[in-house]
Amino acid sequence: LLLCTTSFMQAKEPKIPVVKNTTFENLNTEKTDTKHIIGAVENVRLVPPNVILKARIDTGAKTSSIDARNITPFERNGKQWVRFTCMSGEKEHIIERKVVKTVLIKRHGEESQDRYVVNMRIILGEVSQLILVTLNDRDAYKYPVLIGRNFLRDYFIVDVAKKYQFKPMSLPK
């Protein structure tokens, strides 16, 4: 006859590591073994223009997308760039970014659409990533930012029953 005893320790969710850097350009979060649980809607910081916006978390979307209005392509030093307006409430922020590529987005029940793809820094909680985002006029949508798998991978698990689990960290001055 063999007796086995097992003790269970109360599992605690680890704290997200704090990233301490001097500029937002070199903010980069180390990948951890632990994934953090976020809700279906979260606040994220978009840099530039360093504003907090509401974001819909969409595990079905491969790439993240931001609300960009008045999208105007132009050339700088022989490279393709784009200028667009980012809205934060009533405030307009003019942003210029180098175009990484254009993609054809297939939309359910609507015509496919070409979109510019640029690098943008997005911060959710203490996780800061420079990722590819598509530019799209999201005025008709409830949320100005859509967070896709390219941001979520390696860092987050989504619990659709939750909302606003984290506040985006502040940037160093």
Side-chain angles (χ1 to χ4, degrees):
L1 188 50
L2 183 63
L3 288 175
C4 291
T5 60
T6 308
S7 65
F8 293 95
M9 297 178 68
Q10 183 177 358
K12 292 185 180 177
E13 191 167 320
K15 295 203 180 264
I16 297 175
V18 176
V19 180
K20 296 189 188 270
N21 292 56
T22 55
T23 65
F24 67 82
E25 284 90 358
N26 62 8
L27 277 175
N28 209 349
T29 305
E30 294 293 323
K31 292 181 182 176
T32 63
D33 294 335
T34 318
K35 292 187 170 127
H36 304 285
I37 298 172
I38 60 172
V41 178
E42 293 289 340
N43 285 316
V44 298
R45 183 178 300 276
L46 184 65
V47 180
N50 193 21
V51 295
I52 294 177
L53 300 170
K54 292 183 187 318
R56 176 78 169 133
I57 310 301
D58 185 352
T59 60
K62 180 180 174 184
T63 308
S64 300
S65 180
I66 63 168
D67 183 18
R69 307 202 192 150
N70 306 318
I71 301 170
T72 308
F74 65 97
E75 190 175 301
R76 178 180 286 162
N77 299 327
K79 305 282 185 187
Q80 187 176 14
W81 282 62
V82 67
R83 179 180 301 114
F84 58 94
T85 304
C86 175
M87 301 298 295
S88 173
E90 296 297 315
K91 189 163 169 94
E92 293 183 354
H93 303 276
I94 306 297
I95 300 172
E96 293 181 349
R97 302 305 276 182
K98 183 178 168 186
V99 174
V100 175
K101 62 183 176 179
T102 57
V103 293
L104 183 66
I105 301 294
K106 296 176 184 173
R107 303 183 306 166
H108 300 287
E110 294 186 48
E111 197 174 306
S112 295
Q113 184 181 60
D114 280 316
R115 292 188 191 163
Y116 292 105
V117 178
V118 299
N119 277 311
M120 296 289 291
R121 180 160 303 280
I122 296 181
I123 302 169
L124 196 166
E126 298 291 326
V127 176
S128 171
Q129 295 187 74
L130 185 63
I131 62 167
L132 295 176
V133 298
T134 61
L135 304 179
N136 180 38
D137 185 339
R138 294 184 56 84
D139 187 38
Y141 296 94
K142 187 173 181 179
Y143 302 101
V145 179
L146 180 126
I147 298 293
R149 293 189 309 270
N150 67 328
F151 184 83
L152 301 171
R153 186 178 298 113
D154 299 325
Y155 294 99
F156 300 103
I157 295 172
V158 181
D159 181 343
V160 295
K162 296 182 178 186
K163 288 184 179 182
Y164 306 112
Q165 297 300 295
F166 294 98
K167 177 182 175 188
M169 71 175 163
S170 298
L171 292 177
K173 299 255 185 227

